[in-house]
């Protein structure tokens, strides 16, 4: 079963939808249209041990992307789907709009997508495009949890005020992370992200959080 095959890799099915022409889902290599798109991603720390033990983890560049290509590519081949990925561009595929079609996610005040159950502790690693129309459950229409959050602790936790609920000051954030004062964010994850009360049970383990913070800083520093 697809769900079990994905879970064995430390990943999760992250919703699905039937694309229309406006969704920007590319045709399959044989020219057929993608009739069903199933998103695949990680939630919480479940993926971390699997990835950390994989040969790609020791690669000097984009190890998680390389692992995702191998794992999701193999899953796609086993179920007759075509794999798509949010990396490898430009141009980049519109995974954020796809995620909003597939699951009850929306932008948080930090700009990251927030999920009612998983909070900010999730990501999308790829998608499976099927030429067949797969029957899907009714859409989950739960509201954005931020709408009922009056305190907005995420906007108060950043030591350098990089978030104001409308924009993100990347330069200020990177400057903080590049100095000793940013060690807490670098080793345990962004303080603003950690301040969100939603989905704390899904929070990344420190090694996982540090991995993502280091990758972020490398990419921003060129």
């Amino acid at each position: 079963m697809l769900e079990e095959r994905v879970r064995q890799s430390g990943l999760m099915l992250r919703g699905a939808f039937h694309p229309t022409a406006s969704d920007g889902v590319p045709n399959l290599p044989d020219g057929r249209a993608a009739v069903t798109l199933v998103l695949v991603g990680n939630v919480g720390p479940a993926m971390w041990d699997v990835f950390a033990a994989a040969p790609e983890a020791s690669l000097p560049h984009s190890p998680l992307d390389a692992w995702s290509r191998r794992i999701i590519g193999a899953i796609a081949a086993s179920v007759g789907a075509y794999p798509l990925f949010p990396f490898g561009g430009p141009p980049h595929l519109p995974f954020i709009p796809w995620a909003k079609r597939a699951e009850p996610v929306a932008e948080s005040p930090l700009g990251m997508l927030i999920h009612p159950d998983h909070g900010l502790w999730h990501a999308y690693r790829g998608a499976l495009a099927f030429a067949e129309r797969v029957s899907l459950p009714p859409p989950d229409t739960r509201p954005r949890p931020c709408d009922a959050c009056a305190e907005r602790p995420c906007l108060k936790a950043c030591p350098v005020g990089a978030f104001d609920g409308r924009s993100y000051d990347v330069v200020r954030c990177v400057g903080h992370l590049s100095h000793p004062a940013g060690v807490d964010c670098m080793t345990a994850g962004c303080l603003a992200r950690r301040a969100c009360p939603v989905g704390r049970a899904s929070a990344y383990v420190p090694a996982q959080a540090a991995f993502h913070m280091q990758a972020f800083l490398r990419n921003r520093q060129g």
Side-chain angles (χ1 to χ4, degrees):
M1 187 169 68
L2 176 59
E3 184 172 8
E4 180 58 28
R5 175 74 173 82
V6 171
R7 282 186 178 276
Q8 288 174 356
S9 300
L11 298 171
M12 284 182 61
L13 296 181
R14 300 297 312 277
F17 64 97
H18 297 126
T20 65
S22 64
D23 288 311
V25 178
N27 287 342
L28 277 62
D30 61 8
R32 289 182 295 170
V35 180
T36 304
L37 193 71
V38 179
L39 270 62
V40 179
N42 59 280
V43 170
M47 176 199 74
W48 181 248
D49 287 343
V50 180
F51 164 70
E56 291 88 351
S58 61
L59 293 175
H61 303 293
S62 304
L64 185 54
D65 291 351
W67 178 83
S68 299
R69 283 193 183 278
R70 176 172 66 86
I71 295 298
I72 297 175
I75 293 171
S78 71
V79 296
Y82 180 64
L84 300 170
F85 300 97
F87 44 81
H92 294 96
L93 293 173
F95 264 75
I96 290 177
W98 292 355
K100 293 177 181 178
R101 292 266 276 128
E103 289 193 294
V105 293
E107 280 92 354
S108 69
L110 303 184
M112 294 179 281
L113 294 181
I114 188 166
H115 187 281
D117 299 324
H118 314 307
L120 303 172
W121 304 105
H122 64 98
Y124 300 91
R125 300 307 314 164
L128 305 173
F130 291 87
E132 300 78 22
R133 186 176 182 85
V134 179
S135 179
L136 302 176
D140 187 338
T141 57
R142 283 178 290 170
R144 186 180 75 144
C146 308
D147 296 338
C149 180
E151 293 297 321
R152 300 287 174 99
C154 60
L155 296 181
K156 303 171 185 176
C158 177
V160 293
F163 304 98
D164 63 10
R166 298 177 301 277
S167 61
Y168 166 42
D169 192 329
V170 181
V171 174
R172 183 176 292 183
C173 173
V174 169
H176 175 68
L177 297 177
S178 303
H179 290 86
V183 67
D184 192 4
C185 288
M186 287 298 299
T187 56
C190 167
L191 276 166
R193 189 180 193 179
R194 286 153 55 193
C196 177
V198 181
R200 282 181 172 162
S202 297
Y204 294 167
V205 294
Q208 182 181 11
F211 170 86
H212 288 294
M213 295 300 293
Q214 291 161 9
F216 168 77
L217 190 58
R218 282 196 304 270
N219 290 337
R220 291 298 179 176
Q221 291 179 327

